[in-house]
Amino acid sequence: MKLQDKVAIITGGGSGLGRQSAQLFASEGARIGVVDIDPERAKGTVELVREQGGEAIALVADVSKKAEITEAVTRTVAEFGKLDIMFANAGVVSRGGVPSVAGGEQVAFEDLTEADWHHVLGVNLSGVVYAAQAAVPVLEANGGGVILATSSAASIAAYHSIAMYSATKAGVNGLVRGLSLDLGKRGIRVNAIAPTHGMSPNFLAPAGTPVVGKSYEEVAGPWEPAVSPIPLKLNRPPSLLDNARAALFLVSDDSAYISGVTLPTTDGGTLSRVAMWFDEDRGFTEAS
């Protein structure tokens, strides 16, 4: 197994990619500290891990508060004796989200408040900083380890109405590069994944919404590759598991010499496109 005898903390572990990764990492032999701001979601993930024969504990923390994520690390080490992997996955979207996806009302950039900015900054970027700071001493004491962050395709290409979110995720990419340089001599690798597709609808849903456990594309209805905007045509939609498998690669010894990288996952060629291309049948066309 790829993570035999490893101990991992996953923030935002109560739903979406965090929950899927907890189950996958546990199936590969890891013991998991499931961190979430929602205690019921954290407990739900722990139950799923235990049902499949794994070991996990539920930890409640707001990652935007350094003391809380530090306490989660302390409790995990107290329970399992060490830490090998910090997966800083927790994230929130800017208020207003992506209206066409969330069905919500668009909020003009200038109408977003100082509190809106500090919320998305606190979770998406400060939360990764604090998770890394809490993890580094125990990773080093363990002889090294891995820090993995969840960035986003929005750190690479623009999405409508989430400029603040995009800025924080671009910050994650810069943080990963800087930390890989600084922490390499201490035996710690630092990378990020940048999902494009295959993420959870819970990300844009109000707090307290039941955990879906599937990707946007999986819940959108029957899968039709021919009409999908993803250039790569496969006979199934992208899933949470596709992203979790990329995370598994980057926290396992399969990627032992990879550090400082932000890996676009479930991209399927989407990020390779520009706003114009030549249609095979009709010639030059504009992207809609």
Side-chain angles (χ1 to χ4, degrees), residues 174-191:
L175 179 68
V176 161
R177 289 190 294 271
L179 287 182
S180 70
L181 188 63
D182 293 339
L183 299 179
K185 59 182 174 290
R186 298 160 78 176
I188 299 171
R189 298 190 295 113
V190 189
N191 292 296

Side-chain angles (χ1 to χ4, degrees), residues 17 21 24-25 87 148 192-194 240-252 255 263-266:
L17 177 58
S21 297
L24 180 61
F25 290 10
F87 185 8
L148 179 67
I193 57 171
L240 294 169
L241 187 58
D242 289 312
N243 286 299
R245 283 173 174 153
L248 173 62
F249 169 69
L250 287 174
V251 301
S252 76
S255 61
L263 176 67
T265 56
T266 57

Side-chain angles (χ1 to χ4, degrees), residues 71-141:
E71 175 63 18
V73 171
T74 299
R75 287 183 56 196
T76 299
V77 174
E79 179 73 19
F80 296 129
K82 62 172 183 170
L83 181 67
D84 301 281
I85 298 161
M86 169 58 78
F87 185 8
N89 166 72
V92 293
V93 74
S94 314
R95 185 166 65 93
V98 183
S100 62
V101 176
E105 181 180 355
Q106 184 171 342
V107 179
F109 173 75
E110 65 271 20
D111 292 331
L112 292 167
T113 67
E114 187 175 1
D116 290 327
W117 170 238
H118 284 290
H119 177 56
V120 73
L121 177 66
V123 175
N124 294 354
L125 186 51
S126 296
V128 178
V129 170
Y130 300 153
Q133 287 183 316
V136 164
V138 290
L139 292 175
E140 185 175 20

Side-chain angles (χ1 to χ4, degrees), residues 13-282:
S15 63
L17 177 58
R19 174 171 286 188
Q20 185 71 74
S21 297
Q23 293 177 268
L24 180 61
F25 290 10
S27 74
E28 292 289 342
R31 291 168 288 171
I32 314 294
V34 179
V35 177
D36 204 279
I37 197 170
D38 184 327
E40 295 308 312
R41 286 187 173 186
K43 291 176 184 176
T45 298
V46 169
E47 289 173 4
L48 290 171
V49 168
R50 290 176 177 170
E51 284 173 7
Q52 67 185 41
E55 295 182 59
I57 58 171
L59 302 160
V60 180
D62 177 348
V63 298
S64 70
K65 301 183 186 304
K66 185 177 181 179
E68 294 190 17
I69 187 61
T70 301
E71 175 63 18
V73 171
T74 299
R75 287 183 56 196
T76 299
V77 174
E79 179 73 19
F80 296 129
K82 62 172 183 170
L83 181 67
D84 301 281
I85 298 161
M86 169 58 78
F87 185 8
N89 166 72
V92 293
V93 74
S94 314
R95 185 166 65 93
V98 183
S100 62
V101 176
E105 181 180 355
Q106 184 171 342
V107 179
F109 173 75
E110 65 271 20
D111 292 331
L112 292 167
T113 67
E114 187 175 1
D116 290 327
W117 170 238
H118 284 290
H119 177 56
V120 73
L121 177 66
V123 175
N124 294 354
L125 186 51
S126 296
V128 178
V129 170
Y130 300 153
Q133 287 183 316
V136 164
V138 290
L139 292 175
E140 185 175 20
N142 193 43
V146 182
I147 297 169
L148 179 67
T150 297
S151 180
S152 170
S155 71
I156 301 168
Y159 284 61
H160 285 294
S161 307
I162 54 171
M164 288 183 173
Y165 172 83
S166 297
T168 61
K169 292 299 187 178
V172 168
N173 299 351
L175 179 68
V176 161
R177 289 190 294 271
L179 287 182
S180 70
L181 188 63
D182 293 339
L183 299 179
K185 59 182 174 290
R186 298 160 78 176
I188 299 171
R189 298 190 295 113
V190 189
N191 292 296
I193 57 171
T196 308
H197 306 288
M199 291 297 279
S200 172
N202 282 114
F203 183 59
L204 296 177
T209 301
V211 177
V212 175
K214 294 183 178 181
S215 69
Y216 298 115
E217 293 85 358
E218 288 175 315
V219 302
W223 178 247
E224 298 183 45
V227 300
S228 166
I230 304 173
L232 178 64
K233 304 302 179 186
L234 299 181
N235 62 4
R236 64 167 181 84
S239 69
L240 294 169
L241 187 58
D242 289 312
N243 286 299
R245 283 173 174 153
L248 173 62
F249 169 69
L250 287 174
V251 301
S252 76
D253 289 342
D254 286 347
S255 61
Y257 249 94
I258 297 177
S259 193
V261 169
T262 296
L263 176 67
T265 56
T266 57
D267 165 54
T270 296
L271 294 175
S272 69
R273 297 185 306 188
V274 294
M276 59 188 73
W277 60 86
F278 285 91
D279 184 272
E280 292 179 0
D281 298 319
R282 295 178 295 168

